[in-house]
Amino acid sequence: MAESGEANPALDRPTLVDPALVDPVAVALTWLPGNDEADRPQITLSTVSPDGWPDARTVLLSSAGPEGFCFHTDAHSRKAAHLRADPRAVITVLWPGFTRQLVVAGHADPVSAEALASAYLARSPYLQQLASQNTAEFAQLPKDERRRRWAAFAAETGEEFAQPANWAGFVIRPTRLTFWQGNPDTASERREYTRTGDGWALERLPG
Ligand SMILES: Cc1cc2nc3c(=O)[nH]c(=O)nc-3n(C[C@H](O)[C@H](O)[C@H](O)COP(=O)(O)O)c2cc1C
């Protein structure tokens, strides 16, 4: 992701003085790279385990739009199990150089079959193969055997890796967005938008 320049729509737009006029998801989209950019943002995805522990890991932000923020994973993964039991999730996006941070809290829903298929096709061949082979059983194998099976799978399948049944995707539908902006010449600032029915409430926060 490119480092931020001087202009910062989330913080500088005059419309922000009236939160009723602002769609913070649209503002977030101006911060994030376009969905067709191959270099996807690495984000921290936080979930809650069934016994109440927080958990976090890095995933790629597959896409973002008015409906929410999408990532993809293995349906058998711990994060997928967490979200099936408790759809509350938080993603944190960090920009290089301490310039910006975006934190989005919301509820994660499975994406449609159509969206799942198109996100799979957008993944690199390496990530497509990973989606098929990165199983619990594979993880137990010695490295040489993993290399052998990896090469054998690619040789058998060719360049086209069929979408595996365990390929899963979630869209986080935001209920709160927090924009953080660093300022070299004064304190950093945050603006937090919280869903209120069909609008958003804005709060300015320190930190
Ligand atoms: C840079 C980076 C990007 C990653 N992207 C993904 C991703 O898009 N989807 C995914 O399931 N795991 C991704 N991972 C692996 C996860 O961080 C994690 O180790 C894995 O999904 C298992 O997490 P879980 O046991 O909490 O479900 C990525 C890891 C790194 C370091």
Side-chain angles (χ1 to χ4, degrees), residues 40-140:
R40 303 312 307 157
Q42 298 163 12
I43 63 175
T44 303
L45 167 71
S46 303
T47 55
V48 185
S49 74
D51 60 5
W53 274 92
D55 204 349
R57 77 290 287 159
T58 308
V59 294
L60 299 178
L61 182 69
S62 303
S63 61
E67 75 292 343
F69 301 81
C70 297
F71 68 91
H72 290 80
T73 191
D74 183 342
H76 304 306
S77 66
R78 191 154 52 186
K79 70 182 88 51
H82 288 180
L83 293 172
R84 283 193 293 268
D86 182 343
R88 288 176 301 168
V90 174
I91 58 168
T92 307
V93 193
L94 174 66
W95 274 255
F98 306 106
T99 51
R100 290 176 178 181
Q101 175 186 248
L102 171 65
V103 181
V104 179
H107 293 92
D109 287 334
V111 299
S112 69
E114 196 184 23
L116 199 56
S118 65
Y120 182 76
L121 290 176
R123 290 260 156 147
S124 67
Y126 175 84
L127 290 177
Q128 289 184 351
Q129 183 172 355
L130 197 66
S132 287
Q133 282 203 281
N134 206 5
T135 62
E137 187 229 342
F138 197 83
Q140 309 313 312

Side-chain angles (χ1 to χ4, degrees), residues 8-14 16 27 31 99-100 179-183 189-191 193 204:
N8 188 339
L11 297 172
D12 299 339
R13 264 187 199 166
L16 286 186
V27 176
W31 277 29
T99 51
R100 290 176 178 181
F179 298 86
W180 181 96
Q181 169 73 56
N183 286 311
E189 53 194 307
R190 283 190 300 160
R191 297 202 179 180
Y193 296 84
R204 292 162 197 255

